[in-house]
Amino acid sequence: MNAYVFPGQGAQFVGMGHDLYEKYPIAKELFLKANNILGFDITEVMFNGTAEGLKETKVTQPAIFLHSVILSKVMGASFKPDMVAGHSLGEFSALVANNTLSFEDGLRLVSQRALAMQKACELKPSTMAAVLGLEDGVVEKICSETSGIVVAANYNCPGQLVISGEITAVELACEKLKEAGARRALMLPVGGAFHSPLMEPAREELATAIDNTNFASPSCPIYQNVPTTAVNSPAEIKKNLMLQLTAPVKWTQSVQQMVKDGATVFTEIGPGKVLQGLIKKIEPTAETQSPIVDS
C-alpha cells in the first residue's frame, strides 16, 4: 500500500517551488492564488528571498504547505494514496491531499495557525531541545520530575525525541538528560514551545477557525499526530486537529501503525527528505522515495 507523508516546519529552503511554478500551469495558478489569499507576495520570498526571511513563522508554514500541496497536484493521476500522514504542520497538507480540506481553506488555516503560534511564542519565553540516545520512557520521566513546564513534544524516531517548554525548565531537563546518558541534549534555534501546554492560547484561536471550516469525507484515511491511528470521520479529524498544537507529535507511533495496516512504500511530498530518514529508522524494511513528476 502507498503511504504519502508530508513534512513540517524546518524543511524550507530558498528557491523552493520555483521549478514547479515555471513548469506547470496548475502550479502557477495556485501560487498566484496563494498570494491573494495571504495578502502578501509569498512566492517572492520563497523563490528569491533570504533564508532569514523564509524562517519567519508566518512565511515558513504557508511556504511548506504550498510546496507540498502543489507538488501533489502536479503529480496528477500518479498521485494515488492509500493513506496519508503529516508531521505537525504537514497534517494540513495531508488533509488537502486526501480531499478533506480545499486548497483555499487549508491555506487559510495554516496561515491562521502560524500567526496564532507566533502570538503564543511572544507571550512567554520558551524553547525546544533535541534529545538523542535515550528511551522515550526515560525522557518522559525526567521531564515530569523537572520543575516548570517541560514535556515530550516530538517522537521523531526511536532514540530521537524533542522536548518543549519554558526556557529554564528545558535547560534543566537537558542537564538531567545528559546525566542519564543522553548522547546529546541540544537546544534548538526555535522561538517557542510548540506542542506543549504553552501553545494553549494558539490552540484556542485555531480551534475556532477549524470549527468554522468545512471538512469533507476523506478519499483515504489520515494517520493524525493525535491519535496515530487511521481516521476517516470529518468530525474526528477536526477534533484531533484542534488538539495538535498542545499535544505531542507521535510520528514514530503513526509510522508503526501505518506499516501494521499495510503500508509498504512511503513517498515524501514536500521540500527535503527529513521524513524519509526518520521512517528508515522507525521501519528499516519500508521503502521510501521522493515523488516523480513529469518534466
Side-chain angles (χ1 to χ4, degrees):
M1 289 174 82
N2 292 311
Y4 285 79
V5 293
F6 299 81
Q9 206 161 331
Q12 69 276 2
F13 62 90
V14 175
M16 61 191 283
H18 189 247
D19 55 336
L20 302 175
Y21 181 93
E22 291 290 327
K23 275 184 199 169
Y24 302 98
I26 178 71
K28 187 171 191 174
E29 181 191 320
L30 291 174
F31 274 123
L32 295 176
K33 189 181 275 191
N35 287 340
N36 287 330
I37 290 170
L38 295 171
F40 69 96
D41 199 342
I42 193 167
T43 49
E44 181 57 31
V45 189
M46 287 173 71
F47 304 162
N48 307 307
T50 62
E52 210 50 47
L54 200 52
K55 256 190 214 164
E56 272 190 76
T57 300
K58 74 163 192 172
V59 175
T60 311
Q61 294 195 20
I64 291 167
F65 168 87
L66 285 171
H67 189 280
S68 298
V69 170
I70 291 171
L71 188 51
S72 73
K73 299 285 187 197
V74 303
M75 287 175 71
S78 68
F79 183 75
K80 290 179 188 159
D82 295 306
M83 53 181 84
V84 294
H87 189 288
S88 187
L89 160 72
E91 200 160 278
F92 289 83
S93 311
L95 287 169
V96 174
N98 77 350
N99 302 308
T100 304
L101 284 171
S102 69
F103 170 80
E104 294 82 356
D105 284 342
L107 180 57
R108 284 189 196 99
L109 285 178
V110 165
S111 179
Q112 285 168 298
R113 179 185 192 265
L115 295 171
M117 286 170 79
Q118 191 58 50
K119 272 194 270 179
C121 292
E122 288 160 8
L123 286 173
K124 188 164 186 116
S126 54
T127 193
M128 302 176 85
V131 182
L132 304 181
L134 278 183
E135 286 183 15
D136 293 349
V138 176
V139 179
E140 290 162 352
K141 186 170 185 291
I142 287 172
C143 284
S144 70
E145 292 167 352
T146 302
S147 59
I149 296 171
V150 56
V151 296
N154 291 2
Y155 294 77
N156 286 334
C157 67
Q160 188 191 124
L161 206 159
V162 175
I163 62 173
S164 182
E166 295 166 333
I167 292 173
T168 50
V170 172
E171 286 172 342
L172 187 57
C174 281
E175 291 308 311
K176 290 184 182 178
L177 290 160
K178 284 176 195 164
E179 286 164 17
R183 200 163 73 247
R184 292 184 85 180
L186 180 73
M187 303 290 278
L188 295 174
V190 297
F194 307 140
H195 302 289
S196 84
L198 295 173
M199 282 289 122
E200 181 56 28
R203 189 201 65 76
E204 288 173 11
E205 198 175 316
L206 188 64
T208 304
I210 289 169
D211 222 15
N212 294 326
T213 301
N214 179 56
F215 280 55
S217 293
S219 53
C220 69
I222 180 165
Y223 288 69
Q224 291 180 276
N225 298 171
V226 182
T228 78
T229 50
V231 185
N232 283 294
S233 151
E236 202 183 328
I237 290 170
K238 268 191 176 189
K239 185 189 76 178
N240 296 336
L241 207 54
M242 289 175 188
L243 296 172
Q244 199 221 53
L245 278 183
T246 52
V249 174
K250 295 195 169 178
W251 187 250
T252 300
Q253 298 86 332
S254 297
V255 171
Q256 287 168 339
Q257 189 61 50
M258 291 166 93
V259 169
K260 223 178 264 182
D261 291 350
T264 50
V265 181
F266 287 83
T267 305
E268 182 170 4
I269 309 282
K273 296 183 178 181
V274 171
L275 297 184
Q276 293 179 60
L278 296 179
I279 289 163
K280 276 294 182 194
K281 288 174 182 166
I282 298 165
E283 192 54 62
T285 59
E287 188 185 330
T288 61
Q289 62 184 23
S290 298
I292 297 161
V293 291
D294 297 329
S295 54

